[in-house]
Amino acid sequence: MKRKLVLPILILLWYLSSSHIGSPGVIYEGLLGPYRVLANIIPAEVVPGIARVTIILPENPENITLEVRPVYWSAGLKGTPKADPMVAVPGEPGKYEGELWFMNSGASSVQVTMQTDGDIFEAIVPVMAWPTAKNSMTSELGIPLAILGIFLVILMVTIISSAMSDSIRDPGKERNPVVEKRRKYGIAIGSVIMLLVLWGGKTWWDAESEQYNNFLFKPIEAQSRLEPQSDGNYLHLSVDTATLNQGKTSRKLSLIVPDHGKLMHLFLIRKGDLDVFAHLHPERLDSLNFKVKLPSIPAGEYHVYADITRFTGFSETIISDFTIPENSNFQLVSNTDVVLGRDDTYTFSNPVSGKKTSLDGDIMICGKPGIKTDLPGGYSAVWETDGENFEAGTLYNLDFALFDPEGNAAKLEPYLGMMGHAVVLKHDGSVYIHLHPTGNYSMGSQQMLLERFESGNIGFQNLPTGLSFQDSIDGVIKVLNQMPEKERDSLLMGNMVHLDPTDPDHIEHSMVSFPYAFPQPGNYRIWVQVKIDGRIVNGAFDVEVE
């Protein structure tokens, strides 16, 4: 039997991907052997719990079997239970669904295995298994259980009192006063015993509930402050150590690994109108402190989302708030004296409280109408959509076509190893996601998991030393920063699969597509980032999800 592992593996260990906050699903798009595969994994909110898995094979190959199983970084492939089968969905060719149990918390993955014609093809999709919710008992279940509990308590007290008195008495025979007294004693003793049992049970349950509450996933928090310096203004991000208690080993900040050549991807978005957006890459000062030069953006309150990935495969987003005071030297217009890093970018867009973008039937892309937005430098982007109502939990391909100032199809260039980036933010900031054309999973986690599984190591005994590992990673970052851009981008792309639309009508356009499922109803803003003619350009789109 022939065995293959076909995945977007990168050349080096360090070229990784994104993380997210507020989104319950993991989207993966890539290859499963020779076939395109799209996976949507809804992790269990409560661990132990059941995750729901949907696999779509657009080419709908025949005579295949699909299986999935959870694989933990700490346990490896040998410590993994038997796989669960995926079942074909009637009436939907190429679509399969299934469920699987996640029994423990931590950095984990779903291994998707397909067998066809004697070959076995596998894909590893990272899934952070961590409880994010606490289920409440419904009244439909609670009331019957309460009645049953009262009945059992009365029954137990009756049994104890009967055992202390005449549990068997002939019909019509008077109760013996002594026996009757013992029966009353039995009722009292039984009641006390049952009250103690109930009190002990409640105490145990409260302790378990408190322990579970402490174990619920909480994002790492940080304090962000403005630091004016001679060469410009900086954002200083300092991680709150009190929020690092969860995970312990898996959350060690000294074990951060680069993501597409960057230790941290920080997104700065002005609250409320969401009209200011910046994608920055802070420099590490030590394991808890990072800083980055700020562009000329206006005063206001800002969301801060900072994506990181660790050696253990655990990826997440650090959250913070940032304030630029009114009396600062920042201006709304661009200040040419501010020189940002070559991969840092920012943009201004219309406020979400203003006029909404709407479907324009005069703009046709591949036979569909689209929503157009202007980009800096005269470029434009069109979101290809037929005006469908977007529904929460439904998987979509968000397709965008890019045009140059003359209206011709723009040629996209790699930006940090990807042909495009996108950020999705719910207006209230409760949902944030950093998307790539391959989905919203962390390729950094995927790479760490694959390396781990190939090594055969298990447990946490083989972790690198924190400070030496941190120094070596800083050395890698320094080398990457010194590389010419084209050489570095080629290295970052590695063996990554960048899927192009297969529809022949798309050939004449330069397009980028992001698979995504909006997790909740509400209003969202989507920022699309691409590189054209050596310049990073950004555009914003708005969408209402039902």
Side-chain angles (χ1 to χ4, degrees):
M1 180 177 290
K2 188 177 179 183
R3 192 174 185 85
K4 298 180 181 179
L5 185 63
V6 183
L7 285 168
I9 307 300
L10 310 184
I11 292 178
L12 292 179
L13 179 66
W14 318 121
Y15 306 144
L16 313 172
S17 184
S18 62
S19 57
H20 57 94
I21 183 172
S23 172
V26 178
I27 311 297
Y28 169 85
E29 185 170 7
L31 293 175
L32 188 59
Y35 303 106
R36 287 183 58 197
V37 60
L38 186 63
N40 184 14
I41 301 171
I42 309 297
E45 291 185 339
V46 177
V47 178
I50 297 175
R52 293 185 288 117
V53 182
T54 301
I55 303 292
I56 299 176
L57 299 170
E59 297 164 289
N60 190 26
E62 298 180 351
N63 301 320
I64 68 167
T65 58
L66 278 177
E67 294 181 329
V68 293
R69 62 174 179 163
V71 186
Y72 285 82
W73 184 90
S74 59
L77 294 172
K78 294 183 179 179
T80 299
K82 183 180 178 181
D84 294 313
M86 298 289 290
V87 179
V89 178
E92 298 188 54
K95 184 175 182 179
Y96 300 79
E97 292 182 342
E99 296 180 341
L100 70 163
W101 275 92
F102 278 87
M103 300 302 298
N104 298 306
S105 301
S108 61
S109 64
V110 171
Q111 182 187 51
V112 182
T113 304
M114 180 176 70
Q115 298 188 42
T116 177
D117 298 328
D119 292 339
I120 297 179
F121 302 105
E122 298 172 352
I124 293 292
V125 183
V127 177
M128 300 301 104
W130 206 286
T132 59
K134 182 178 180 180
N135 289 344
S136 300
M137 185 177 296
T138 62
S139 58
E140 290 81 2
L141 178 62
I143 292 174
L145 286 179
I147 295 174
L148 179 60
I150 293 172
F151 170 75
L152 291 176
V153 168
I154 295 174
L155 181 63
M156 183 58 68
V157 171
T158 302
I159 292 174
I160 294 173
S161 66
S162 298
M164 294 182 64
S165 62
D166 51 349
S167 55
I168 299 177
R169 180 164 52 89
D170 294 334
K173 185 177 180 180
E174 294 291 332
R175 290 183 180 273
N176 187 306
V178 176
V179 174
E180 179 65 17
K181 189 175 183 180
R182 290 204 305 264
R183 185 181 71 83
K184 292 180 180 179
Y185 283 152
I187 292 175
I189 294 173
S191 298
V192 171
I193 291 174
M194 291 311 300
L195 286 174
L196 290 174
V197 170
L198 293 174
W199 176 81
K202 183 180 185 304
T203 302
W204 168 79
W205 183 260
D206 289 344
E208 288 291 319
S209 179
E210 181 64 23
Q211 182 178 0
Y212 184 83
N213 286 336
N214 294 333
F215 201 56
L216 284 175
F217 178 81
K218 302 176 183 65
I220 295 177
E221 298 179 6
Q223 289 79 42
S224 298
R225 65 179 183 270
L226 179 65
E227 285 191 355
Q229 297 184 11
S230 58
D231 61 337
N233 294 284
Y234 285 79
L235 184 154
H236 185 118
L237 185 141
S238 180
V239 176
D240 183 358
T241 56
T243 61
L244 293 176
N245 294 330
Q246 287 185 323
K248 299 187 183 299
T249 301
S250 63
R251 268 186 155 182
K252 281 187 176 180
L253 289 181
S254 58
L255 299 183
I256 293 176
V257 294
D259 167 4
H260 294 296
K262 304 294 182 181
L263 276 180
M264 178 181 288
H265 292 260
L266 185 147
F267 293 91
L268 198 61
I269 303 169
R270 187 153 71 163
K271 294 182 179 181
D273 281 336
L274 310 182
D275 55 342
V276 183
F277 171 89
H279 180 179
L280 309 173
H281 305 95
E283 169 192 358
R284 175 162 59 184
L285 303 177
D286 55 46
S287 60
L288 296 176
N289 293 278
F290 300 79
K291 76 169 185 177
V292 64
K293 182 179 286 189
L294 289 167
S296 297
I297 53 178
E301 301 288 332
Y302 285 81
H303 296 288
V304 177
Y305 302 100
D307 297 336
I308 58 172
T309 301
R310 292 180 185 77
F311 178 81
T312 56
F314 202 94
S315 64
E316 58 184 309
T317 300
I318 300 172
I319 61 173
S320 181
D321 293 320
F322 179 60
T323 301
I324 298 177
E326 292 289 347
N327 60 355
S328 68
N329 295 324
F330 286 75
Q331 301 176 8
L332 182 60
V333 297
S334 176
N335 184 343
T336 56
D337 294 332
V338 177
V339 179
L340 300 176
R342 63 178 175 178
D343 303 304
D344 293 352
T345 179
Y346 70 103
T347 190
F348 303 103
S349 58
N350 63 297
V352 295
S353 59
K355 182 180 179 181
K356 306 293 184 183
T357 54
S358 59
L359 193 67
D360 190 340
D362 294 333
I363 301 174
M364 301 296 292
I365 304 295
C366 305
K368 293 183 180 180
I371 301 172
K372 181 180 179 180
T373 188
D374 293 327
L375 309 178
Y379 300 100
S380 61
V382 175
W383 181 2
E384 178 190 308
T385 175
D386 57 7
E388 72 268 33
N389 293 324
F390 288 89
E391 297 181 356
T394 301
L395 189 58
Y396 297 96
N397 274 317
L398 310 179
D399 301 322
F400 300 90
L402 285 302
F403 298 91
D404 64 19
E406 288 73 38
N408 300 317
K411 184 177 181 180
L412 302 183
E413 302 168 359
Y415 172 35
L416 292 175
M418 303 296 296
M419 298 311 293
H421 297 250
V423 169
V424 179
L425 184 71
K426 196 175 180 184
H427 285 188
D428 62 4
S430 62
V431 175
Y432 154 83
I433 183 68
H434 180 186
L435 286 175
H436 292 140
T438 51
N440 68 351
Y441 70 98
S442 168
M443 285 174 287
S445 296
Q446 184 189 62
Q447 185 64 26
M448 296 301 101
L449 290 162
L450 286 170
E451 292 285 339
R452 177 71 166 184
F453 299 157
E454 291 173 3
S455 72
N457 293 328
I458 60 174
F460 293 92
Q461 291 76 36
N462 306 105
L463 292 176
T465 304
L467 292 180
S468 61
F469 182 77
Q470 181 173 314
D471 291 341
S472 66
I473 292 299
D474 288 341
V476 172
I477 296 295
K478 184 176 180 181
V479 170
L480 291 173
N481 288 338
Q482 293 173 347
M483 282 185 178
E485 193 163 345
K486 288 187 178 180
E487 180 182 348
R488 187 203 58 177
D489 284 340
S490 176
L491 186 63
L492 292 178
M493 291 184 72
N495 298 330
M496 202 178 305
V497 177
H498 293 275
L499 298 174
D500 296 323
T502 56
D503 187 344
D505 293 336
H506 286 83
I507 294 177
E508 62 180 295
H509 302 293
S510 289
M511 300 194 66
V512 61
S513 180
F514 304 95
Y516 187 57
F518 296 95
Q520 304 170 3
N523 294 310
Y524 291 80
R525 170 154 284 194
I526 303 171
W527 287 271
V528 178
Q529 298 186 289
V530 295
K531 182 181 283 189
I532 306 172
D533 297 329
R535 180 178 181 180
I536 304 167
V537 293
N538 309 277
F541 296 86
D542 296 311
V543 60
E544 183 176 352
V545 179
E546 299 177 351

